[in-house]
Amino acid sequence: MTNRLATSTSPYLQQHAGNPVDWYEWGEEAFAAARERDVPLLISVGYSACHWCHVMAHESFEDEATGAFMNEHFVNVKVDREERPDVDAVYMTATQAMTGQGGWPMTVLATPDGEPFFCGTYFPPRPVQGMPSFPQVLASVAAAWRTRREEVLGSARTIRDALASPRPQALPEDGPATADPEVPARALAELARSFDPTAGGFGGAPKFPPSMVCEWLLRHVARVGRDAAPEALTMAERTLGQMARGGLRDQLGGGFARYSVDAQWVVPHFEKMLYDNALLLRVYTHWWRLTGDRLAHDVVTSTAEWMLRELRTADGGMASALDADSLDAQGVAREGAFYVWSPEQLRDVLGPEDAAWAADLLEVTGAGTFEHGLSVLQMHLDLTDDERPRWVSVRDRLLASREGRARPARDDKVVAGWNGMAVAALAEAGALLEVRHWVDAATEVAGLVLRVHLKDGRLRRTSRDGVVGTAPGVLEDYAHMADGLLALFQVTGEDRWLTAAGDLLETVLTRFGDGAGGFYDTAEDQTDPVVAGLRRPREIGDGPTPAGQPAAAGALLTYAALTGSTRHREAAQQALREPWSVAVRVPRAAGWALAVTEAMLDGPR
């Protein structure tokens, strides 16, 4: 069968268009159907590059019997978390509260009004190590809805009330009202406690690239000087260096994977996201600016070129992601199949002499570092000047061979905020390394977002093939796009970018404010009614991307520095007050706020 998702603008939803599940998109049609049929909603949230989303889809959503049961007992709703971060945020809060963990795919059972009463993430098709199977979950919930309705509704009311309760006051009584050098100093001392001095990064496995924290550390060193902050520079350089040399980075084609499943950056979760690479391109650019490090220069070049080669869309935007999975030589979909190598494969491409040299350089062994005796390429050895031509020859031949493999799927929707991050990174890298076509690409991306996503003065979240979606822009879209436009203005001197950034920030100030100096993630007049009935999203701590509030503070501060606007500087300072209280306790969740704080303490220059 073909369900309603066939006409969706989301590549993730279109992946499910052929399921036997009668999927709805998020919206009133689904809620009305649930009320009319008097059945619960089954809300499944994921994204196109998510490995475990694919696993659950193949195991359960493509299964005829499972689909038939879902259709009989539920109204089923598919949500692209990248398209609807507001919906994802509310239900993820409920999932984490109920289970103590979160992730995708996220599975939420809710009343016809959208109030959750059961939440989880991935469920297998059969019971595994105490985890119930997905059919067992469905049968249990369907039975409870029929026979214990009041108990279910009572649970939903309890969760709803917990979600809607006012947030705890994060700012201590004696919290700083203005930028205080003591905040980054205390945060630095706390951060050092979790630093891995061998592999870099913070904490244990899995390890995500700490882009925002490294951005702060480099800005801190730039402000106070290397001699005054040797520990900050060590943490940044060790982390950036080990990430660049390990399996997290694609040693052949450039670009970084989403995260490492181990603590040494050896085996990545192979999906590649625009936002990770835009943030990392910017921070490696700043590392090179600060130190002139050759590895940093190489990473900037390979990452920028990878972004333009692999993510650029036909209409001039930047696609969201490349999938983790692709088909192996036997036609089986496997995670990482496009990227991993065996010694035999190296010999087939390079011949025995170059293969032996490359295997040693790239740490390809008979035992392998990944599944099925295959190895993720790493490059911890430093090349001499004499070895570099040989490496270029080896790399180019391996790349040419890899092009014959089945490629990972690409999610080609354009997300406004992530494209704003790409604009900032490409513009700064292009200016500092004097690569004009990177700046030209940033200009093209910015023009597309303003031309396609900006409707009646308001941003829309996504577009695809030049057709804008219906989801309204959230705070991160306005903040990161404004930040990118301000970087482009500084690089090109064209007033149109400054004017457009000012317009976006005016919407932030007038539509997103919480009345206490902070910002909600959704605009007051564009908050989804179901989401509003549960909890208007508002996040001050960083996740995979900078949180909207500190991102807005950064754009406001830059705009103030460029225009002399006291109003914007004061708004930036107010927006940082809550994140400052987070920064001294959990600096890993406040990297962007701390980076903006360094700018506030240091400038404007």
Side-chain angles (χ1 to χ4, degrees):
M1 64 177 288
T2 300
N3 55 48
R4 295 169 186 81
L5 305 187
T7 59
S8 171
T9 58
S10 163
Y12 172 64
L13 268 56
Q14 286 197 348
Q15 288 176 358
H16 296 269
N19 293 169
V21 180
D22 187 20
W23 291 112
Y24 286 75
E25 290 195 56
W26 177 269
E28 179 53 32
E29 183 185 6
F31 297 109
R35 287 191 290 266
E36 181 180 347
R37 291 178 51 198
D38 191 30
V39 295
L41 294 159
L42 188 154
I43 303 167
S44 176
V45 185
Y47 59 104
S48 70
C50 168
H51 171 70
W52 285 103
C53 297
H54 298 328
V55 172
M56 190 166 178
H58 296 323
E59 292 175 342
S60 296
F61 302 145
E62 295 173 7
D63 179 71
E64 293 288 343
T66 302
F69 191 91
M70 291 170 67
N71 295 339
E72 180 180 356
H73 296 282
F74 305 94
V75 166
N76 305 291
V77 181
K78 253 297 171 193
V79 177
D80 183 342
R81 67 169 291 260
E82 297 174 348
E83 190 172 53
R84 296 304 306 259
D86 52 339
V87 175
D88 175 68
V90 169
Y91 289 124
M92 184 58 72
T93 300
T95 300
Q96 290 171 331
M98 293 181 71
T99 68
Q101 60 185 5
W104 301 276
M106 178 166 54
T107 306
V108 177
L109 283 302
T111 70
D113 293 324
E115 297 175 354
F117 58 83
F118 179 88
C119 302
T121 52
Y122 163 79
F123 290 102
R126 291 167 294 280
V128 177
Q129 296 178 344
M131 180 187 295
S133 71
F134 191 52
Q136 286 176 326
V137 170
L138 298 178
S140 177
V141 170
W145 184 259
R146 288 194 311 270
T147 62
R148 305 196 309 276
R149 179 75 62 89
E150 283 306 313
E151 180 183 333
V152 171
L153 295 178
S155 295
R157 286 191 293 269
T158 299
I159 296 168
R160 179 199 64 200
D161 292 345
L163 287 172
S165 62
R167 67 182 186 278
Q169 182 63 35
L171 189 65
E173 290 289 329
D174 58 350
T178 59
D180 184 345
E182 184 66 16
V183 170
R186 290 171 60 192
L188 195 62
E190 180 62 31
L191 181 70
R193 295 157 58 92
S194 62
F195 176 61
D196 181 341
T198 302
F202 305 92
K207 270 186 178 172
F208 290 78
S211 311
M212 292 78 83
V213 168
C214 288
E215 179 69 33
W216 158 50
L217 292 173
L218 293 177
R219 289 193 191 185
H220 181 73
V221 175
R223 177 174 67 86
V224 304
R226 295 193 198 191
D227 293 342
E231 189 175 35
L233 185 59
T234 295
M235 288 192 286
E237 291 202 300
R238 170 61 63 172
T239 300
L240 294 170
Q242 293 300 100
M243 288 196 303
R245 296 175 187 277
L248 189 75
R249 180 185 173 214
D250 179 354
Q251 301 296 336
L252 298 182
F256 289 83
R258 179 70 196 92
Y259 63 86
S260 173
V261 301
D262 57 87
Q264 286 75 44
W265 311 108
V266 177
V267 178
H269 191 46
F270 290 89
E271 63 201 57
K272 287 180 174 179
M273 315 302 293
L274 170 60
Y275 55 75
D276 282 320
N277 284 279
L279 290 166
L280 287 166
L281 173 58
R282 201 174 190 185
V283 77
Y284 277 96
T285 298
H286 295 164
W287 181 25
W288 176 79
R289 177 176 62 184
L290 183 68
T291 67
D293 189 277
R294 185 169 188 170
L295 176 61
H297 189 283
D298 290 347
V299 172
V300 170
T301 301
S302 65
T303 305
E305 292 297 332
W306 172 82
M307 286 171 61
L308 297 184
R309 184 177 66 249
E310 301 283 349
L311 296 185
R312 208 166 187 183
T313 62
D315 54 6
M318 302 295 290
S320 297
L322 297 184
D323 209 321
D325 297 7
S326 57
L327 299 179
D328 65 10
Q330 288 71 47
V332 177
R334 295 190 186 279
E335 184 181 6
F338 186 71
Y339 300 101
V340 292
W341 294 80
S342 69
E344 293 76 20
Q345 289 171 332
L346 293 184
R347 282 196 294 271
D348 288 343
V349 176
L350 301 173
E353 187 174 343
D354 276 349
W357 182 79
D360 185 51
L361 177 68
L362 297 170
E363 302 181 41
V364 177
T365 66
T369 53
F370 190 54
E371 301 166 350
H372 311 292
L374 297 166
S375 293
V376 181
L377 302 188
Q378 303 176 74
M379 198 167 170
H380 287 94
L381 297 175
D382 287 321
L383 294 169
T384 66
D385 288 339
D386 290 341
E387 289 174 320
R388 280 185 170 266
R390 187 180 190 183
W391 162 239
V392 170
S393 172
V394 164
R395 182 197 64 199
D396 289 350
R397 281 181 282 161
L398 292 176
L399 265 178
S401 174
R402 196 174 78 173
E403 283 302 303
R405 299 179 178 182
R407 298 187 63 82
R410 187 174 82 161
D411 185 326
D412 56 359
K413 71 176 178 294
V414 173
V415 177
W418 304 353
N419 274 253
M421 296 178 200
V423 170
L426 288 167
E428 289 191 6
L432 289 168
L433 274 67
E434 299 182 341
V435 182
R436 181 68 210 184
H437 72 268
W438 297 350
V439 179
D440 292 341
T443 301
E444 189 175 10
V445 173
L448 171 77
V449 174
L450 295 181
R451 184 176 68 254
V452 174
H453 289 241
L454 199 60
K455 298 296 181 184
D456 299 320
R458 306 294 290 277
L459 276 179
R460 302 271 184 88
R461 171 79 173 166
T462 62
S463 71
R464 191 180 185 204
D465 297 327
V467 178
V468 73
T470 58
V474 295
L475 182 60
E476 78 159 11
D477 294 311
Y478 284 86
H480 290 304
M481 198 62 226
D483 188 52
L485 294 171
L486 293 170
L488 198 54
F489 166 70
Q490 292 174 81
V491 167
T492 66
E494 296 181 21
D495 288 341
R496 58 176 171 147
W497 307 124
L498 180 64
T499 300
D503 291 342
L504 294 179
L505 292 175
E506 188 61 28
T507 301
V508 169
L509 292 173
T510 58
R511 296 292 187 178
F512 287 84
D514 68 354
F519 298 105
Y520 286 105
D521 290 337
T522 57
E524 61 182 4
D525 59 340
Q526 292 182 333
T527 301
D528 183 273
V530 174
V531 169
L534 296 171
R535 179 181 194 170
R536 189 175 171 191
R538 183 179 182 280
E539 189 60 65
I540 61 172
D542 296 333
T545 59
Q549 183 160 316
L556 288 163
L557 182 66
T558 302
Y559 187 81
L562 294 171
T563 64
S565 170
T566 302
R567 175 187 176 221
H568 288 79
R569 183 177 178 86
E570 289 177 349
Q573 186 166 279
Q574 285 295 313
L576 287 173
R577 291 191 68 200
E578 262 183 302
W580 283 333
S581 67
V582 174
V584 297
R585 293 181 284 112
V586 194
R588 290 165 61 183
W592 203 257
L594 286 162
V596 177
T597 301
E598 297 291 347
M600 185 170 282
L601 290 168
D602 192 40
R605 294 192 180 206

